[in-house]
Amino acid sequence: MVETRLRNLDVILSILFGISIFLFLNSIVGSILHIPATVQTINKGLDGEIKVCPPEMIREDVEYAVGEWNRAITYFGLRYMWLDVLGKRFKISSDECDVVFKFVKLEDLGRRECVVENDRIAVSVTNFQDGKAVIYLWRGLIGQDLRDVLRRVIIHEFSWVLGIHPPIATVETASDWFGSLKVTSLDIYALHSKSSEESQTSRIKLFKLDVPDNIPYLTVEKALTYDLLIASVSALLSTILYKLLRWVKP
């Protein structure tokens, strides 16, 4: 009986040691991968399950963008305990549309409250009408040769749909003006930073928030790689500790 209790104590101590090593190494990695940045949000945007109705000609590209956003929301929401973002999802639909797409000429985009910064020519813009979002896309984007560009644009416009503005940062994010093929931890942190006070403000207001030092700049793929590596190292050290405790046991 005593030997069993000692063995259980060794296991508990080894597990606690492994958890502490995981948190310690993760903190170090987070500090190393941290990028000074300021996220920007606005008290405007859609919430909850957002039904997206894509035209058939860009359906695959919209599905890609929906998958990237949902995957990042789930992973980073659970990884950093930003549980408030888990209820925000995109869903492909054919009716009851919250988000629709319209193809327009390039010159028409400037008439739709489009913000052009540093002389960059916009190829898309999102407007809100009657509680729904309309994404206007330059029709010249349609075509296999520009597929990556189109997907960047759609992923970027989804950030506007959520009420996330381009960050003040030196890295590529989905909400950046140029967009990205991947949704990053900074995008989900921006989504998390949209507090309840914002939605209660009657006038439209822009909010800025510096990203904490412990939040790294990562995509889901890179975050998984780091977490698996750190978990493996922690498990190995825990096993070594357990064997040492068994060896020195009187």
Side-chain angles (χ1 to χ4, degrees), residues 31-63:
S31 299
I32 293 173
L33 298 178
H34 172 74
I35 300 293
T38 300
V39 296
Q40 301 187 103
T41 64
I42 196 170
N43 57 328
K44 188 176 184 179
L46 305 185
D47 201 0
E49 184 179 74
I50 302 171
K51 295 182 178 180
V52 182
C53 297
E56 193 58 37
M57 65 181 68
I58 62 169
R59 185 180 183 87
E60 289 185 15
D61 305 298
V62 175
E63 288 176 344

Side-chain angles (χ1 to χ4, degrees), residues 33-128:
L33 298 178
H34 172 74
I35 300 293
T38 300
V39 296
Q40 301 187 103
T41 64
I42 196 170
N43 57 328
K44 188 176 184 179
L46 305 185
D47 201 0
E49 184 179 74
I50 302 171
K51 295 182 178 180
V52 182
C53 297
E56 193 58 37
M57 65 181 68
I58 62 169
R59 185 180 183 87
E60 289 185 15
D61 305 298
V62 175
E63 288 176 344
Y64 175 87
V66 164
E68 287 300 317
W69 271 103
N70 287 347
R71 189 178 303 111
I73 287 172
T74 300
Y75 183 81
F76 291 118
L78 293 174
R79 177 65 184 79
Y80 295 104
M81 297 301 292
W82 300 332
L83 302 183
D84 54 300
V85 306
L86 297 178
K88 305 175 191 293
R89 317 289 297 175
F90 288 101
K91 180 182 179 181
I92 299 294
S93 179
S94 58
D95 56 4
E96 298 181 11
C97 308
D98 298 312
V99 180
V100 296
F101 296 81
K102 291 186 179 181
F103 302 109
V104 297
K105 296 179 179 179
L106 191 61
E107 56 268 23
D108 290 339
L109 288 173
R111 306 170 189 169
R112 303 183 186 280
E113 302 176 10
C114 180
V115 178
V116 180
E117 191 174 88
N118 298 332
D119 297 325
R120 291 194 288 264
I121 299 176
V123 294
S124 62
V125 65
T126 295
N127 281 348
F128 292 94

Side-chain angles (χ1 to χ4, degrees), residues 115-162:
V115 178
V116 180
E117 191 174 88
N118 298 332
D119 297 325
R120 291 194 288 264
I121 299 176
V123 294
S124 62
V125 65
T126 295
N127 281 348
F128 292 94
Q129 300 174 5
D130 301 323
K132 301 182 184 299
V134 181
I135 298 177
Y136 295 92
L137 297 174
W138 173 43
R139 60 182 58 175
L141 289 174
I142 310 305
Q144 294 297 322
D145 293 342
L146 294 174
R147 167 151 282 185
D148 282 356
V149 176
L150 176 60
R151 290 183 174 185
R152 280 175 172 264
V153 168
I154 296 173
I155 289 175
H156 169 71
E157 291 306 323
F158 280 172
S159 68
W160 288 99
V161 170
L162 292 167

Side-chain angles (χ1 to χ4, degrees), residues 217-247:
Y217 166 70
L218 289 169
T219 61
V220 171
E221 291 77 8
K222 288 185 178 180
L224 276 170
T225 300
Y226 282 114
D227 279 350
L228 288 174
L229 179 60
I230 293 173
S232 299
V233 172
S234 302
L236 176 61
L237 293 177
S238 296
T239 302
I240 293 174
L241 176 65
Y242 174 74
K243 290 184 177 181
L244 285 174
L245 289 173
R246 298 293 297 157
W247 181 68

